[in-house]
mmCIF file of all heavy atoms in Angstrom:
data_model
loop_
_atom_site.group_PDB
_atom_site.id
_atom_site.type_symbol
_atom_site.label_atom_id
_atom_site.label_comp_id
_atom_site.label_asym_id
_atom_site.label_seq_id
_atom_site.Cartn_x
_atom_site.Cartn_y
_atom_site.Cartn_z
ATOM 1 N N MET A 1 95.455 59.947 217.544
ATOM 2 C CA MET A 1 94.352 59.726 216.592
ATOM 3 C C MET A 1 94.418 60.770 215.486
ATOM 4 O O MET A 1 94.461 61.967 215.759
ATOM 5 C CB MET A 1 93.020 59.819 217.375
ATOM 6 C CG MET A 1 91.773 59.583 216.528
ATOM 7 S SD MET A 1 91.652 57.890 215.937
ATOM 8 C CE MET A 1 90.959 58.134 214.334
ATOM 9 N N GLY A 2 94.414 60.299 214.229
ATOM 10 C CA GLY A 2 94.470 61.225 213.100
ATOM 11 C C GLY A 2 93.108 61.812 212.787
ATOM 12 O O GLY A 2 92.189 61.802 213.614
ATOM 13 N N LYS A 3 92.978 62.280 211.593
ATOM 14 C CA LYS A 3 91.729 62.916 211.143
ATOM 15 C C LYS A 3 90.575 61.914 211.123
ATOM 16 O O LYS A 3 90.728 60.779 210.686
ATOM 17 C CB LYS A 3 91.991 63.460 209.743
ATOM 18 C CG LYS A 3 90.780 63.996 209.015
ATOM 19 C CD LYS A 3 91.197 64.463 207.619
ATOM 20 C CE LYS A 3 90.019 64.983 206.829
ATOM 21 N NZ LYS A 3 89.067 63.980 206.428
ATOM 22 N N LYS A 4 89.414 62.361 211.595
ATOM 23 C CA LYS A 4 88.222 61.506 211.536
ATOM 24 C C LYS A 4 87.496 61.747 210.221
ATOM 25 O O LYS A 4 87.454 62.869 209.714
ATOM 26 C CB LYS A 4 87.284 61.809 212.704
ATOM 27 C CG LYS A 4 87.802 61.308 214.041
ATOM 28 C CD LYS A 4 86.679 61.213 215.056
ATOM 29 C CE LYS A 4 87.191 60.582 216.348
ATOM 30 N NZ LYS A 4 86.105 60.242 217.256
ATOM 31 N N VAL A 5 86.930 60.665 209.681
ATOM 32 C CA VAL A 5 86.119 60.783 208.473
ATOM 33 C C VAL A 5 84.678 61.045 208.916
ATOM 34 O O VAL A 5 84.125 60.310 209.739
ATOM 35 C CB VAL A 5 86.225 59.501 207.615
ATOM 36 C CG1 VAL A 5 85.270 59.558 206.435
ATOM 37 C CG2 VAL A 5 87.658 59.312 207.132
ATOM 38 N N ARG A 6 84.096 62.103 208.364
ATOM 39 C CA ARG A 6 82.795 62.569 208.847
ATOM 40 C C ARG A 6 81.680 62.157 207.885
ATOM 41 O O ARG A 6 81.794 62.343 206.678
ATOM 42 C CB ARG A 6 82.849 64.093 209.014
ATOM 43 C CG ARG A 6 83.941 64.508 210.007
ATOM 44 C CD ARG A 6 84.392 65.942 209.832
ATOM 45 N NE ARG A 6 84.898 66.204 208.473
ATOM 46 C CZ ARG A 6 85.346 67.391 208.074
ATOM 47 N NH1 ARG A 6 85.361 68.416 208.916
ATOM 48 N NH2 ARG A 6 85.782 67.571 206.833
ATOM 49 N N PHE A 7 80.615 61.592 208.441
ATOM 50 C CA PHE A 7 79.543 60.978 207.656
ATOM 51 C C PHE A 7 78.217 61.711 207.792
ATOM 52 O O PHE A 7 77.917 62.285 208.839
ATOM 53 C CB PHE A 7 79.308 59.533 208.123
ATOM 54 C CG PHE A 7 80.323 58.540 207.640
ATOM 55 C CD1 PHE A 7 81.570 58.431 208.261
ATOM 56 C CD2 PHE A 7 80.043 57.694 206.572
ATOM 57 C CE1 PHE A 7 82.507 57.503 207.823
ATOM 58 C CE2 PHE A 7 80.982 56.764 206.138
ATOM 59 C CZ PHE A 7 82.213 56.666 206.764
ATOM 60 N N GLY A 8 77.420 61.631 206.723
ATOM 61 C CA GLY A 8 76.004 61.974 206.755
ATOM 62 C C GLY A 8 75.222 60.791 206.217
ATOM 63 O O GLY A 8 75.732 60.035 205.381
ATOM 64 N N ILE A 9 74.002 60.602 206.706
ATOM 65 C CA ILE A 9 73.150 59.505 206.231
ATOM 66 C C ILE A 9 71.901 60.091 205.586
ATOM 67 O O ILE A 9 71.217 60.932 206.177
ATOM 68 C CB ILE A 9 72.733 58.564 207.396
ATOM 69 C CG1 ILE A 9 73.954 57.835 207.971
ATOM 70 C CG2 ILE A 9 71.692 57.551 206.924
ATOM 71 C CD1 ILE A 9 73.643 56.973 209.190
ATOM 72 N N ILE A 10 71.608 59.655 204.353
ATOM 73 C CA ILE A 10 70.362 60.055 203.679
ATOM 74 C C ILE A 10 69.423 58.851 203.690
ATOM 75 O O ILE A 10 69.760 57.794 203.142
ATOM 76 C CB ILE A 10 70.613 60.487 202.219
ATOM 77 C CG1 ILE A 10 71.678 61.589 202.148
ATOM 78 C CG2 ILE A 10 69.319 60.953 201.573
ATOM 79 C CD1 ILE A 10 72.065 61.986 200.720
ATOM 80 N N GLY A 11 68.266 59.029 204.305
ATOM 81 C CA GLY A 11 67.297 57.931 204.421
ATOM 82 C C GLY A 11 67.407 57.292 205.795
ATOM 83 O O GLY A 11 68.417 56.661 206.100
ATOM 84 N N CYS A 12 66.379 57.468 206.630
ATOM 85 C CA CYS A 12 66.450 57.000 208.030
ATOM 86 C C CYS A 12 65.490 55.849 208.285
ATOM 87 O O CYS A 12 64.864 55.760 209.341
ATOM 88 C CB CYS A 12 66.172 58.173 208.971
ATOM 89 S SG CYS A 12 67.365 59.519 208.804
ATOM 90 N N GLY A 13 65.362 54.944 207.309
ATOM 91 C CA GLY A 13 64.460 53.796 207.439
ATOM 92 C C GLY A 13 65.130 52.584 208.062
ATOM 93 O O GLY A 13 66.050 52.704 208.867
ATOM 94 N N VAL A 14 64.691 51.402 207.626
ATOM 95 C CA VAL A 14 65.069 50.128 208.258
ATOM 96 C C VAL A 14 66.577 49.898 208.309
ATOM 97 O O VAL A 14 67.115 49.431 209.309
ATOM 98 C CB VAL A 14 64.383 48.944 207.513
ATOM 99 C CG1 VAL A 14 64.894 47.602 208.012
ATOM 100 C CG2 VAL A 14 62.878 49.016 207.687
ATOM 101 N N ILE A 15 67.297 50.229 207.234
ATOM 102 C CA ILE A 15 68.718 49.869 207.159
ATOM 103 C C ILE A 15 69.628 50.936 207.770
ATOM 104 O O ILE A 15 70.795 50.662 208.088
ATOM 105 C CB ILE A 15 69.131 49.553 205.693
ATOM 106 C CG1 ILE A 15 70.376 48.640 205.645
ATOM 107 C CG2 ILE A 15 69.356 50.820 204.887
ATOM 108 C CD1 ILE A 15 70.158 47.240 206.162
ATOM 109 N N ALA A 16 69.123 52.155 207.966
ATOM 110 C CA ALA A 16 69.967 53.253 208.447
ATOM 111 C C ALA A 16 70.702 52.942 209.764
ATOM 112 O O ALA A 16 71.882 53.282 209.907
ATOM 113 C CB ALA A 16 69.144 54.532 208.581
ATOM 114 N N PRO A 17 70.057 52.287 210.733
ATOM 115 C CA PRO A 17 70.786 51.989 211.982
ATOM 116 C C PRO A 17 72.017 51.101 211.789
ATOM 117 O O PRO A 17 72.985 51.225 212.548
ATOM 118 C CB PRO A 17 69.728 51.293 212.852
ATOM 119 C CG PRO A 17 68.430 51.818 212.345
ATOM 120 C CD PRO A 17 68.621 51.971 210.861
ATOM 121 N N CYS A 18 72.006 50.224 210.772
ATOM 122 C CA CYS A 18 73.198 49.409 210.493
ATOM 123 C C CYS A 18 74.374 50.322 210.133
ATOM 124 O O CYS A 18 75.510 50.093 210.546
ATOM 125 C CB CYS A 18 72.934 48.429 209.357
ATOM 126 S SG CYS A 18 71.876 47.040 209.803
ATOM 127 N N HIS A 19 74.105 51.369 209.365
ATOM 128 C CA HIS A 19 75.140 52.334 208.990
ATOM 129 C C HIS A 19 75.546 53.166 210.200
ATOM 130 O O HIS A 19 76.732 53.363 210.462
ATOM 131 C CB HIS A 19 74.620 53.245 207.869
ATOM 132 C CG HIS A 19 74.459 52.550 206.558
ATOM 133 N ND1 HIS A 19 75.278 52.792 205.476
ATOM 134 C CD2 HIS A 19 73.583 51.605 206.156
ATOM 135 C CE1 HIS A 19 74.904 52.024 204.462
ATOM 136 N NE2 HIS A 19 73.873 51.304 204.849
ATOM 137 N N ALA A 20 74.542 53.650 210.933
ATOM 138 C CA ALA A 20 74.831 54.502 212.091
ATOM 139 C C ALA A 20 75.652 53.750 213.149
ATOM 140 O O ALA A 20 76.629 54.281 213.682
ATOM 141 C CB ALA A 20 73.522 55.018 212.689
ATOM 142 N N ASP A 21 75.266 52.502 213.423
ATOM 143 C CA ASP A 21 76.027 51.692 214.396
ATOM 144 C C ASP A 21 77.488 51.568 213.979
ATOM 145 O O ASP A 21 78.402 51.682 214.793
ATOM 146 C CB ASP A 21 75.426 50.280 214.502
ATOM 147 C CG ASP A 21 74.130 50.242 215.298
ATOM 148 O OD1 ASP A 21 73.913 51.156 216.118
ATOM 149 O OD2 ASP A 21 73.330 49.309 215.084
ATOM 150 N N ALA A 22 77.688 51.307 212.674
ATOM 151 C CA ALA A 22 79.048 51.096 212.165
ATOM 152 C C ALA A 22 79.871 52.382 212.207
ATOM 153 O O ALA A 22 81.082 52.349 212.469
ATOM 154 C CB ALA A 22 78.993 50.546 210.741
ATOM 155 N N ILE A 23 79.219 53.518 211.979
ATOM 156 C CA ILE A 23 79.936 54.806 212.005
ATOM 157 C C ILE A 23 80.266 55.198 213.446
ATOM 158 O O ILE A 23 81.412 55.500 213.789
ATOM 159 C CB ILE A 23 79.084 55.910 211.325
ATOM 160 C CG1 ILE A 23 78.914 55.607 209.832
ATOM 161 C CG2 ILE A 23 79.727 57.290 211.524
ATOM 162 C CD1 ILE A 23 77.768 56.364 209.171
ATOM 163 N N VAL A 24 79.245 55.164 214.297
ATOM 164 C CA VAL A 24 79.424 55.573 215.701
ATOM 165 C C VAL A 24 80.396 54.625 216.414
ATOM 166 O O VAL A 24 81.142 55.034 217.307
ATOM 167 C CB VAL A 24 78.045 55.613 216.409
ATOM 168 C CG1 VAL A 24 78.195 55.806 217.895
ATOM 169 C CG2 VAL A 24 77.194 56.730 215.822
ATOM 170 N N GLY A 25 80.395 53.354 215.981
ATOM 171 C CA GLY A 25 81.264 52.364 216.621
ATOM 172 C C GLY A 25 82.694 52.359 216.095
ATOM 173 O O GLY A 25 83.493 51.506 216.485
ATOM 174 N N ASN A 26 83.016 53.283 215.195
ATOM 175 C CA ASN A 26 84.367 53.309 214.609
ATOM 176 C C ASN A 26 85.109 54.548 215.093
ATOM 177 O O ASN A 26 84.636 55.676 214.919
ATOM 178 C CB ASN A 26 84.265 53.331 213.075
ATOM 179 C CG ASN A 26 85.588 53.034 212.398
ATOM 180 O OD1 ASN A 26 86.597 53.695 212.650
ATOM 181 N ND2 ASN A 26 85.596 52.038 211.531
ATOM 182 N N GLU A 27 86.266 54.326 215.697
ATOM 183 C CA GLU A 27 86.993 55.458 216.293
ATOM 184 C C GLU A 27 87.560 56.410 215.242
ATOM 185 O O GLU A 27 87.960 57.531 215.566
ATOM 186 C CB GLU A 27 88.105 54.950 217.206
ATOM 187 C CG GLU A 27 89.139 54.091 216.510
ATOM 188 C CD GLU A 27 90.234 53.611 217.452
ATOM 189 O OE1 GLU A 27 90.043 53.691 218.674
ATOM 190 O OE2 GLU A 27 91.271 53.153 216.936
ATOM 191 N N ARG A 28 87.569 55.976 213.982
ATOM 192 C CA ARG A 28 88.071 56.864 212.918
ATOM 193 C C ARG A 28 86.946 57.637 212.242
ATOM 194 O O ARG A 28 87.168 58.323 211.252
ATOM 195 C CB ARG A 28 88.821 56.048 211.857
ATOM 196 C CG ARG A 28 90.031 55.293 212.402
ATOM 197 C CD ARG A 28 90.884 54.752 211.261
ATOM 198 N NE ARG A 28 90.198 53.718 210.483
ATOM 199 C CZ ARG A 28 90.623 53.249 209.306
ATOM 200 N NH1 ARG A 28 91.734 53.758 208.771
ATOM 201 N NH2 ARG A 28 89.974 52.297 208.662
ATOM 202 N N ALA A 29 85.710 57.513 212.766
ATOM 203 C CA ALA A 29 84.554 58.112 212.097
ATOM 204 C C ALA A 29 83.718 58.955 213.054
ATOM 205 O O ALA A 29 83.799 58.821 214.271
ATOM 206 C CB ALA A 29 83.686 57.018 211.493
ATOM 207 N N GLU A 30 82.905 59.792 212.433
ATOM 208 C CA GLU A 30 82.016 60.665 213.198
ATOM 209 C C GLU A 30 80.742 60.854 212.376
ATOM 210 O O GLU A 30 80.814 61.062 211.159
ATOM 211 C CB GLU A 30 82.731 62.012 213.372
ATOM 212 C CG GLU A 30 82.068 62.992 214.282
ATOM 213 C CD GLU A 30 82.864 64.312 214.314
ATOM 214 O OE1 GLU A 30 84.072 64.317 213.977
ATOM 215 O OE2 GLU A 30 82.250 65.318 214.641
ATOM 216 N N LEU A 31 79.575 60.747 213.013
ATOM 217 C CA LEU A 31 78.297 60.948 212.324
ATOM 218 C C LEU A 31 77.816 62.374 212.588
ATOM 219 O O LEU A 31 77.489 62.738 213.713
ATOM 220 C CB LEU A 31 77.260 59.925 212.803
ATOM 221 C CG LEU A 31 75.894 59.935 212.109
ATOM 222 C CD1 LEU A 31 76.025 59.847 210.598
ATOM 223 C CD2 LEU A 31 75.023 58.785 212.628
ATOM 224 N N VAL A 32 77.806 63.177 211.521
ATOM 225 C CA VAL A 32 77.553 64.617 211.653
ATOM 226 C C VAL A 32 76.081 64.959 211.444
ATOM 227 O O VAL A 32 75.521 65.810 212.131
ATOM 228 C CB VAL A 32 78.420 65.402 210.633
ATOM 229 C CG1 VAL A 32 78.070 66.886 210.627
ATOM 230 C CG2 VAL A 32 79.899 65.204 210.940
ATOM 231 N N ALA A 33 75.430 64.302 210.472
ATOM 232 C CA ALA A 33 74.053 64.678 210.135
ATOM 233 C C ALA A 33 73.296 63.505 209.533
ATOM 234 O O ALA A 33 73.895 62.595 208.944
ATOM 235 C CB ALA A 33 74.059 65.850 209.147
ATOM 236 N N VAL A 34 71.966 63.549 209.695
ATOM 237 C CA VAL A 34 71.085 62.550 209.087
ATOM 238 C C VAL A 34 69.957 63.294 208.366
ATOM 239 O O VAL A 34 69.650 64.444 208.701
ATOM 240 C CB VAL A 34 70.493 61.572 210.129
ATOM 241 C CG1 VAL A 34 71.609 60.763 210.786
ATOM 242 C CG2 VAL A 34 69.664 62.305 211.181
ATOM 243 N N CYS A 35 69.336 62.620 207.390
ATOM 244 C CA CYS A 35 68.317 63.280 206.582
ATOM 245 C C CYS A 35 67.227 62.290 206.181
ATOM 246 O O CYS A 35 67.515 61.146 205.815
ATOM 247 C CB CYS A 35 68.984 63.861 205.329
ATOM 248 S SG CYS A 35 67.809 64.603 204.185
ATOM 249 N N ASP A 36 65.985 62.741 206.264
ATOM 250 C CA ASP A 36 64.866 61.959 205.733
ATOM 251 C C ASP A 36 63.751 62.941 205.382
ATOM 252 O O ASP A 36 63.574 63.945 206.087
ATOM 253 C CB ASP A 36 64.356 60.944 206.762
ATOM 254 C CG ASP A 36 63.512 59.848 206.117
ATOM 255 O OD1 ASP A 36 62.348 60.129 205.747
ATOM 256 O OD2 ASP A 36 64.009 58.723 205.974
#
Side-chain angles (χ1 to χ4, degrees):
M1 181 67 216
K3 172 182 179 291
K4 288 199 175 191
V5 174
R6 301 158 302 180
F7 283 79
I9 294 176
I10 306 175
C12 299
V14 172
I15 204 67
C18 287
H19 290 250
D21 285 337
I23 294 162
V24 171
N26 193 305
E27 60 180 16
R28 300 192 294 168
E30 188 182 339
L31 184 53
V32 173
V34 297
C35 176
D36 198 286

